[in-house]
Each structure stands twice: as C-alpha cells, then as structure tokens.
Amino acid sequence: MLVLTFAICFIAAILMTPLIIKLAHKVGATDKPNNRKVHQKLMPRLGGLAIYIAFMIGFLIVNPNVSYANAIVIAGFIIIVTGVLDDIYELSAKYKLLGQLAAALVIVLMGGIEVTYITLPFEYKLHFGILSIPLTIFWIIGITNAINLIDGLDGLAAGVSSIALLTITGMALSMGDIFVASMGLILLGSTLGFLVFNFHPAKIFMGDTGALFLGFMISVLSLLGFKNITLLSFLVPIIILGVPISDTFFAILRRLLNKKPLSAPDKSHLHHCLLRNGYSHKQSVLIIYAIASFFALSAVLFSSATMWGSLLVVSILVILIEIFAEKVGLVDKNYRPLLNFVRGLRMKMNDN
C-alpha cells in the first residue's frame, strides 16, 4: 500500500507541476535574475505547491490515525500560505518568521510534539522542563530556514531534501515507526516528482512555498522519529541534515566575522563557493548530493555503532566539514585555521 501511495504522489507531482508553472506566471510568482542569483531568465517559483498537493493526496490515502495528524496538516497549511504569499508578494523576513512561528506553535501546543528530555550516558535523564517548548520551536524554525538557505541551484534543495527523507524513512522503518515512515515516503515521492521539472536546467523553482514546506516537514518528522531518546541518538537527525545545517552554521560565522547582520543575504553559500571554484551548475549540485549522501550514510553508521564508535564518527565528520569549508572558502578565502595548523606541523616536522 505504501509503495503504491509513493507512486501516486510521484505521478501527482509530475501532473501538477506544469499546471503550477502556468499559475505562477499568471499570479506573478516569478523569480527575476539579479547579481545574487545564478539563473539568467525569469523563472516561475511556486513549485512547492505541486509538492504540497501531491503530499496531501498521499496523506488522504494513508489517512493516519495518530493524535498529532491534524496538527501537522494545519501547521503545514500555515507554512504553505506563508510560502505562497512570499513567492507572490515577497514578504519581509519578519512576516515569514511569524508564519513559521505560528506553524511551530500549532505542532507543539495542538500536536503535543516536543522534546522533553534526552538520556545521557549512564542512564541519567536530562529534562528540559520549561525549555522544552522553546527548544522544539527553535529546532523547527532552524531546520525550516536551513533548507530554504540551500535553495540556490536547480534541483539542489529538492535533491538534498529527498536524500534526507529517504534516510529518515529507512531509519523509521527499522525502528517500527510506521507513521514517520509513511509521511516520509509520500513526501519523498512528491518531491521526486517535482524534481523531474526542477533538476538542471530547471523549468520551475520550488520557491519559498517548497523550501519552507520541505524544511518544516523534515524538522517535524525528525522530531517524531528521534525525540526523547539518548544524547547520541539525538544527533542522528543533525547528521542526516548535515549539508543545510553546516551551510547555515558557516553562514552565521561568516556574517559574524564580517560584522554583518545575520539576516544579510550574500553569495558565499556552499553552492556559490563550488561555482567560484570552477565547477559547473550541474557538477556543483551533484557534488552536494554526494556530500548529503555521505552524511546520510554516516548517520546510519552512527546509529548502529557503540558509544565510542559514535563519538569517533562525529569527530571525523567535524574535522572533514572544517577542512572542506576551508578548502572551498565557505567562510572566507583567508579563513584556514585547521589547514594552517596542519601546515605548521608539517614545517616543524620537516625542520626536525
């Protein structure tokens, strides 16, 4: 039944996307080229609506019988309305944040979905108490915007999201969580159907409608799949979402070092850096797909390893992320603390 629903969502997205392209042009939901953007012509950007419609078709077929299903539907609708309005009227960051906050509050207050504690080593439980609600809201809004930030090349956000959804779905199945697996699978089918039109050269962008919806749903599904568990296991969704989270982290670091507002747009995200390093549009996207797949495999390895094995995986990942960020100039072309440290060690060894 789930495989059939996946296929239905995939086909529904393929059928809906050409209609959304026409609708986007009609209502003025188009993306104009500028000095920050890679595309060179006017592009429709309401594609996330096709993903949402296909997903809702799958949701109605599955008809999940869980207490928080209605909250997810209502919150998802709020996110979609926020994204559609932004794609048409270009809302300010304040209003987009209000829409995300409203959706997150629906999830927490109506759905009762929140991280209340994590189990530390030696069976000690760290209860968050009054911080559980703000921490959950911070996670939802943070991941929602992280997916939005990487939406800069044809097929990039849709592909990275698909890899994350495939991983979350597979891990949910291994844990017997049928609801998360079902939602992940129908969202994956919807996203892949849209990707047929969104991969380079794209015929349509997903816009904030799609980026916000995908980020929001991934944040909620990861909460449902990995909440109230051990400290190490809580790192699993962070590893799965390694590409958007690390790109967001280095964007924040870059703006702090350059003394710019955190909300200030720039042209130094991961995909921009790869393009500057001489890779083509398609090559840059495929490289980031490969990195996202590496994170996904690392998350699976991490979840099945011992405590010390898990710590080793995290340590290696952190070092590799830092080296890669310094190599491509993700913070600044002169930001190379780790590489300079290694170079200094080599020079000392050669002198000896």
Side-chain angles (χ1 to χ4, degrees):
M1 180 65 178
L2 279 181
V3 175
L4 177 60
T5 307
F6 168 86
I8 290 172
C9 292
F10 178 76
I11 293 169
I14 289 177
L15 295 176
M16 286 302 307
T17 302
L19 301 178
I20 299 299
I21 291 174
K22 294 179 181 179
L23 176 64
H25 282 295
K26 182 173 290 188
V27 300
T30 52
D31 205 334
K32 301 175 181 64
N34 61 35
N35 63 333
R36 282 187 54 246
K37 295 174 182 178
V38 177
H39 64 282
Q40 302 298 319
K41 62 180 182 179
L42 195 70
M43 290 289 293
R45 61 178 180 188
L46 203 60
L49 198 55
I51 298 175
Y52 174 72
I53 293 170
F55 171 79
M56 286 306 301
I57 291 171
F59 187 91
L60 292 172
I61 294 171
V62 174
N63 191 24
N65 185 24
V66 292
S67 58
Y68 36 74
N70 289 338
I72 292 175
V73 170
I74 294 170
F77 181 73
I78 293 172
I79 286 291
I80 283 295
V81 170
T82 303
V84 168
L85 291 175
D86 182 60
D87 284 339
I88 298 175
Y89 302 109
E90 297 188 7
L91 300 178
S92 67
K94 175 178 67 176
Y95 289 116
K96 284 198 287 186
L97 182 60
L98 282 174
Q100 295 168 41
L101 179 59
L105 285 171
V106 169
I107 290 295
V108 173
L109 300 180
M110 181 179 172
I113 301 171
E114 59 181 288
V115 180
T116 55
Y117 69 88
I118 54 175
T119 304
L120 300 174
F122 309 110
E123 300 301 318
Y124 179 76
K125 288 184 179 180
L126 175 61
H127 290 269
F128 294 124
I130 59 173
L131 293 177
S132 63
I133 290 178
L135 282 173
T136 304
I137 291 173
F138 177 79
W139 170 263
I140 293 172
I141 292 177
I143 298 303
T144 299
N145 283 287
I147 298 296
N148 198 23
L149 282 175
I150 65 167
D151 185 25
L153 295 180
D154 297 355
L156 183 55
V160 170
S161 296
S162 295
I163 293 167
L165 287 167
L166 180 61
T167 310
I168 291 172
T169 300
M171 297 187 75
L173 283 172
S174 69
M175 293 185 293
D177 193 330
I178 301 303
F179 176 77
V180 172
S182 301
M183 295 300 99
L185 197 61
I186 62 177
L187 187 55
L188 175 61
S190 305
T191 307
L192 289 176
F194 169 74
L195 191 56
V196 171
F197 296 88
N198 184 233
F199 193 73
H200 185 72
K203 296 179 177 63
I204 183 172
F205 294 159
M206 65 167 61
D208 272 20
T209 307
L212 293 179
F213 179 66
L214 282 176
F216 175 78
M217 288 301 300
I218 288 171
S219 72
V220 173
L221 291 179
S222 60
L223 272 180
L224 288 171
F226 304 100
K227 68 174 184 174
N228 293 343
I229 46 177
T230 66
L231 174 62
L232 292 177
S233 296
F234 191 69
L235 294 175
V236 170
I238 296 176
I239 297 173
I240 292 172
L241 298 166
V243 168
I245 289 177
S246 59
D247 193 30
T248 302
F249 170 79
F250 284 111
I252 293 171
L253 180 61
R254 181 170 63 246
R255 286 157 191 171
L256 288 175
L257 292 175
N258 294 325
K259 297 180 180 179
K260 292 184 178 180
L262 295 182
S263 59
D266 62 21
K267 206 169 183 179
S268 297
H269 287 287
L270 176 56
H271 53 279
H272 295 128
C273 292
L274 290 173
L275 290 171
R276 274 200 301 271
N277 277 273
Y279 295 101
S280 69
H281 192 126
K282 187 175 290 186
Q283 286 173 334
S284 298
V285 172
L286 293 176
I287 287 170
I288 298 175
Y289 282 4
I291 297 170
S293 300
F294 174 74
F295 275 115
L297 290 172
S298 299
V300 174
L301 179 62
F302 175 90
S303 65
S304 59
T306 62
M307 183 178 75
W308 294 112
S310 298
L311 290 174
L312 179 62
V313 170
V314 170
S315 300
I316 293 172
L317 278 176
V318 169
I319 293 171
L320 289 176
I321 291 168
E322 177 63 23
I323 291 173
F324 184 78
E326 293 179 21
K327 281 281 189 182
V328 301
L330 199 51
V331 176
D332 185 84
K333 63 180 180 180
N334 298 317
Y335 172 83
R336 295 195 161 197
L338 186 56
L339 291 176
N340 289 337
F341 175 74
V342 172
R343 188 179 295 111
L345 285 179
R346 285 179 178 173
M347 290 175 65
K348 285 183 179 180
M349 291 173 67
N350 290 334
D351 290 340
N352 293 333

